[in-house]
């Protein structure tokens, strides 16, 4: 089973920056995609950013130009750099790994890390 650990959350003022990390227990070469999701109180969980094994990226419209997803295969880690943070970015952020090994598809969620942006 792939274990995912998120870190880097915290409390920041509007306009500040944070970098979230998602560390995997094994090589991410075998993972076809990793996504960052967030869930705010009273709202559904939503996709924030996603990166594939071919390093193609997808972003929610609300974060385009402010957030950047990247991966470091040597460290088995995916990052989410968040700049120009807004109060509406406040949420618990989760990473999700998607793996296709042979014909078997699996997905794994981390425990989440809290991001709070004050005005």
């Amino acid at each position: 089973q792939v274990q995912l650990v998120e870190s880097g959350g915290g409390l920041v003022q509007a306009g500040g920056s944070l970098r979230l990390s998602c560390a995997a227990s094994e090589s991410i070469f075998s993972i076809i995609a990793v996504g960052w999701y967030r869930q705010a109180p009273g709202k559904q969980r939503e996709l924030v950013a996603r990166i594939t094994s071919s390093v193609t990226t997808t972003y929610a419209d609300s974060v385009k130009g402010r957030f950047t997803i990247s991966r470091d295969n040597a460290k088995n880690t995916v990052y989410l750099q968040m700049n120009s943070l807004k109060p509406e970015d406040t949420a618990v952020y989760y990473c999700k790994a998607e793996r296709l090994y042979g014909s078997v598809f699996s997905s794994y969620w981390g425990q989440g890390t809290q991001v709070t942006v004050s005005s």
Side-chain angles (χ1 to χ4, degrees):
Q1 180 179 338
V2 177
Q3 302 287 335
L4 303 175
V5 179
E6 301 101 330
S7 62
L11 174 64
V12 298
Q13 293 185 333
S17 298
L18 286 173
R19 189 180 74 163
L20 305 183
S21 298
C22 176
S25 61
E26 62 185 73
S27 174
I28 59 176
F29 282 108
S30 64
I31 299 174
I32 61 174
V34 174
W36 281 100
Y37 296 75
R38 67 186 181 187
Q39 187 164 21
K43 299 186 67 177
Q44 295 183 339
R45 188 171 298 185
E46 64 174 346
L47 175 68
V48 177
R50 184 173 181 266
I51 187 167
T52 71
S53 58
S54 60
V55 203
T56 57
T57 57
T58 302
Y59 297 94
D61 288 341
S62 60
V63 307
K64 286 181 180 178
R66 299 189 297 120
F67 291 10
T68 303
I69 189 170
S70 62
R71 62 193 293 166
D72 186 335
N73 292 337
K75 297 181 179 180
N76 296 335
T77 301
V78 172
Y79 302 97
L80 184 68
Q81 178 67 45
M82 306 186 295
N83 298 325
S84 302
L85 284 163
K86 304 174 181 180
E88 51 262 45
D89 295 319
T90 296
V92 178
Y93 285 71
Y94 302 88
C95 63
K96 178 187 178 183
E98 301 168 353
R99 184 182 183 185
L100 183 63
Y101 192 79
S103 60
V104 179
F105 176 84
S106 301
S107 62
Y108 306 89
W109 289 94
Q111 291 183 309
T113 184
Q114 176 72 47
V115 172
T116 302
V117 184
S118 65
S119 60

